[in-house]
Amino acid sequence: MTEPRIVRRDELSEFYIGERCHVVEHWNSADDASVSVARIRVAPGTTTQLHRLRGTAERYLIQSGFGRIEIGGLAPAELGPGDTAFIPADTAQRIANPGDGDLVFLAICTPRFVPECYENLEAQDA
């Protein structure tokens, strides 16, 4: 059973991943496997890697900046602060930042994100 606790955000914990974005893990714990929450930062002029999360649904909640998202068979869509995109499990996705400032959003995954669920689809694009 999970005990109550408070986790303090540490801005210094931001790290860069090969998906072409920066991540701060706010919540990702094996003893709460039902959900994870991360802050994602995409630099101006950057498009994240085309990928999917096997068995994991994801929501992007835009905090600041603007993005252009591609999700499965949907037409690309513009997103801004306050917008949320739902990405079903096993669905191809990527987001571009065409703006001059950082694109920042929360990525909320159910069940929680684990590296083994990530599948790079760019190699299949070639």
Side-chain angles (χ1 to χ4, degrees):
M1 173 181 264
T2 302
E3 295 295 319
R5 65 180 169 234
I6 295 171
V7 177
R8 305 280 181 201
R9 184 171 78 184
D10 177 5
E11 290 295 338
L12 299 177
S13 68
E14 182 181 76
F15 55 93
Y16 182 81
I17 60 173
E19 187 183 332
R20 299 188 285 269
C21 59
H22 299 82
V23 177
V24 173
E25 291 275 10
H26 286 284
W27 186 260
N28 193 340
S29 177
D31 66 351
D32 183 13
S34 63
V35 66
S36 63
V37 180
R39 186 197 73 188
I40 310 298
R41 183 172 61 84
V42 181
T46 301
T47 300
T48 62
Q49 188 174 72
L50 182 65
H51 67 284
R52 69 175 156 214
L53 301 184
R54 289 186 301 267
T56 300
E58 192 168 19
R59 296 121 189 109
Y60 287 0
L61 174 55
I62 308 300
Q63 301 292 290
S64 62
F66 293 89
R68 183 170 178 81
I69 193 165
E70 297 174 46
I71 305 171
L74 291 179
E78 304 294 325
L79 297 175
D83 291 340
T84 301
F86 175 69
I87 305 153
D90 306 305
T91 302
Q93 59 173 295
R94 67 178 149 206
I95 192 165
N97 177 358
D100 295 333
D102 286 339
L103 168 63
V104 178
F105 58 93
L106 296 179
I108 303 162
C109 293
T110 54
R112 80 182 180 106
F113 175 85
V114 292
E116 297 78 23
C117 77
Y118 187 91
E119 183 179 357
N120 173 7
L121 299 177
E122 288 189 352
Q124 298 173 13
D125 260 0

